[in-house]
Amino acid sequence: MGQVPCVLVVDDAIDALQTLADILGVAGYAVRTAPSAERALQILGGTSIDLVITDLRMGGMGGMGLIRSLHRDFPDLPVIALSGFADTSTVIQAFREGVVDFLVKPFTAEEVLAAVERALARRRGPDRRWIRRLRPGPGRSCRICSGDRGRSSCCWSGPVANCWRRRG
């Protein structure tokens, strides 16, 4: 049996911080919380974290600064950004900085849990059993991209990661 994933939630709005911690805790995740980007970096220095969820608008370093630091110091650590003030340019900038998902406040528990599961699945990599079930046999088309196996148009012609990206 695997270890329970640990999610670090970073938000200076205590209500949002507690709501996210409650949603994740009830779903069975281990949760650490930080009221600032600076505190989050301290926690990351001494704790094994599998995923970070951070607000973008915070005092001090702020969410974008935290995301840059995380991708510099912990390049394999997935980050989900969230904000109540999400305009298109902010979302684009967050994705350019390397976030794997973006949530807009107010969010639902279902949205949070779906984003967390997607992010953790990317970190774990594809479920090879799932891929074997979908791999097309001789003379069959791919169930993911509908291309012919062996042709360059089929996601099976390249690395398995291509197939995974098309699914997610």
Side-chain angles (χ1 to χ4, degrees), residues 88-135:
T88 305
S89 63
T90 302
V91 174
I92 291 170
Q93 182 183 0
F95 277 105
R96 284 184 179 157
E97 295 293 341
V99 301
V100 297
D101 215 329
F102 195 99
L103 296 171
V104 178
K105 293 178 184 176
F107 45 77
T108 66
E110 291 79 19
E111 290 170 330
V112 171
L113 295 175
V116 166
E117 190 53 42
R118 282 190 304 267
L120 292 173
R122 276 191 191 137
R123 185 165 195 200
R124 286 189 303 263
D127 178 351
R128 303 278 182 205
R129 293 170 299 180
W130 176 83
I131 289 172
R132 279 195 299 273
R133 284 195 312 267
L134 290 179
R135 175 166 270 182

Side-chain angles (χ1 to χ4, degrees), residues 126-167:
D127 178 351
R128 303 278 182 205
R129 293 170 299 180
W130 176 83
I131 289 172
R132 279 195 299 273
R133 284 195 312 267
L134 290 179
R135 175 166 270 182
R140 292 190 174 158
S141 62
C142 177
R143 288 190 242 171
I144 297 167
C145 70
S146 300
D148 289 332
R149 184 173 181 202
R151 289 189 346 177
S152 61
S153 64
C154 178
C155 58
W156 286 106
S157 300
V160 171
N162 290 342
C163 173
W164 182 251
R165 281 190 214 109
R166 289 176 190 254
R167 179 178 181 247

Side-chain angles (χ1 to χ4, degrees), residues 8 14 28-29 33-34 36 39-41 48-49 57 71-72 75 77 85-86 98 108 119 124 144-145 166 168:
L8 174 60
I14 302 304
Y29 294 101
T33 60
S36 68
R39 179 67 184 127
L41 291 173
S48 178
I49 300 292
R57 285 197 174 185
H71 286 285
R72 182 187 64 234
L77 182 63
F85 307 96
T108 66
R124 286 189 303 263
I144 297 167
C145 70
R166 289 176 190 254

